[in-house]
């Protein structure tokens, strides 16, 4: 009966997680909400989210300053449960960092900060970008089988929420970029009395010769025209 009650409670918590995380928000909002919900759903004392890409790895959200500090220690030392989870695409847990020898440099630093148990689990992977959920606790054996099961379920919901939010964000940015380039083409057409194809070639040449992204060239042109228009409006008769 106790096991059945626990499973029902877990199911209720995960239903709430699904509802909460899938509400439409920005990427930063979803990440911040994710760490707050994870503390109750898993549960864990301290929670963070790491994002790894070819540009590097950083902590995108943290429930407490201790998370940011220990995450950064793992990045600098290139070892720890967080990095193992991201690298090997599998949950990595430490029941007692005082006796676990897998991370000889990071382990003592975590213990000195008051962290005894830790778990890392991958929650998101899109091409070369990986998101990892980092769980910390001040007591040993904090992440048992039930906790790992809850973390795995939570990771699925969190991954879906992040994927949806990132997809919407990318589409919005792509649409904005397309509109901006279209406006810049129009500016160049008018400025040099050339057709659309010639104007676009002009922008691409400028992009190549200055080693600047086309969207940045376009945005600069649009911003310059906007500033000029404001000056003309503000100029006294």
């Amino acid at each position: 009966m106790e096991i059945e009650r626990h499973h029902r409670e877990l199911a209720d918590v995960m239903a709430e997680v699904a509802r909460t995380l899938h509400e439409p928000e920005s990427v930063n909002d979803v990440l911040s909400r994710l760490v707050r919900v994870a503390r109750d759903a898993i549960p864990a004392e301290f929670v963070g989210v790491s994002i790894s890409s070819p540009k590097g790895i950083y902590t995108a959200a943290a429930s407490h300053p201790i998370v940011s500090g220990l995450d950064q220690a793992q990045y600098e030392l290139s070892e720890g449960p967080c990095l193992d989870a991201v690298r090997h695409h599998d949950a990595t847990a430490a029941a007692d960092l005082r006796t676990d020898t897998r991370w000889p440099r990071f382990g003592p630093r975590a213990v000195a900060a008051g962290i005894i148990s830790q778990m890392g689990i991958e929650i998101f992977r899109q091409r070369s970008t990986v998101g990892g959920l980092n769980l910390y606790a001040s007591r040993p054996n904090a992440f048992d089988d039930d906790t790992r099961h809850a973390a795995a379920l939570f990771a699925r919901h969190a991954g879906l929420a992040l994927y949806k939010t990132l997809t919407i964000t990318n589409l919005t940015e792509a649409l904005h970029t397309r509109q901006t380039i279209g406006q810049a083409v129009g500016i160049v057409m008018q400025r040099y009395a050339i057709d659309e194809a010639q104007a676009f070639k002009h922008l691409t040449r400028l992009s190549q010769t200055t080693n600047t992204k086309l969207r940045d060239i376009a945005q600069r042109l649009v911003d310059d025209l906007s500033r000029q228009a404001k000056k003309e409006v503000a100029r006294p008769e």
Side-chain angles (χ1 to χ4, degrees):
M1 291 295 293
E2 182 63 26
I3 294 176
E4 290 180 1
R5 185 182 65 80
H6 173 76
H7 286 170
R8 285 197 301 272
E9 290 177 352
L10 180 58
D12 291 341
V13 170
M14 286 303 156
E16 179 64 16
V17 167
R19 183 194 66 77
T20 303
L21 289 181
H22 289 277
E23 293 177 356
E25 292 180 300
S26 69
V27 174
N28 288 337
D29 287 339
V30 168
L31 289 170
S32 297
R33 179 174 290 201
L34 192 155
V35 297
R36 293 197 303 269
V37 176
R39 284 180 302 175
D40 299 326
I42 294 175
E45 290 178 55
F46 310 107
V47 181
V49 175
S50 295
I51 302 294
S52 175
S53 73
K55 295 180 180 180
I57 184 169
Y58 68 98
T59 300
S63 67
H64 190 278
I66 196 172
V67 173
S68 302
L70 289 179
D71 281 357
Q72 188 61 38
Q74 290 175 91
Y75 308 152
E76 293 174 358
L77 297 172
S78 192
E79 66 174 44
C82 162
L83 294 184
D84 282 1
V86 169
R87 288 168 177 166
H88 306 307
H89 325 310
D90 194 15
T92 303
D96 193 331
L97 287 165
R98 295 171 299 186
T99 56
D100 199 316
T101 59
R102 286 176 290 177
W103 309 284
R105 293 181 296 168
F106 171 71
R109 188 175 297 191
V111 172
I115 296 300
I116 306 301
S117 298
Q118 187 180 341
M119 180 176 179
I121 183 169
E122 181 182 307
I123 58 173
F124 177 80
R125 176 170 291 272
Q126 187 180 57
R127 297 177 184 173
S128 56
T129 300
V130 184
L133 184 69
N134 308 318
L135 312 173
Y136 297 92
S138 60
R139 66 187 188 282
N141 302 303
F143 306 114
D144 56 16
D145 289 342
D146 288 337
T147 305
R148 294 186 193 193
H149 179 56
L153 289 176
F154 181 87
R156 293 192 194 115
H157 287 296
L160 288 171
L162 274 175
Y163 178 80
K164 182 178 72 173
T165 305
L166 285 171
T167 299
I168 292 172
T169 300
N170 291 338
L171 288 173
T172 302
E173 290 177 353
L175 179 60
H176 174 72
T177 297
R178 184 176 178 179
Q179 291 172 336
T180 303
I181 291 174
Q183 289 176 314
V185 167
I187 294 170
V188 173
M189 288 173 65
Q190 184 178 28
R191 182 174 296 175
Y192 299 109
I194 56 180
D195 63 26
E196 184 177 354
Q198 291 173 316
F200 185 75
K201 285 181 180 179
H202 173 82
L203 290 174
T204 54
R205 275 199 307 271
L206 188 60
S207 172
Q208 292 166 358
T209 56
T210 61
N211 195 28
T212 306
K213 291 180 179 179
L214 181 60
R215 68 168 179 263
D216 294 335
I217 293 285
Q219 189 66 58
R220 203 171 298 161
L221 275 172
V222 172
D223 291 344
D224 287 346
L225 183 64
S226 177
R227 281 193 293 268
Q228 183 180 345
K230 289 179 180 178
K231 286 181 181 179
E232 291 178 356
V233 171
R235 187 179 302 161
E237 294 290 338

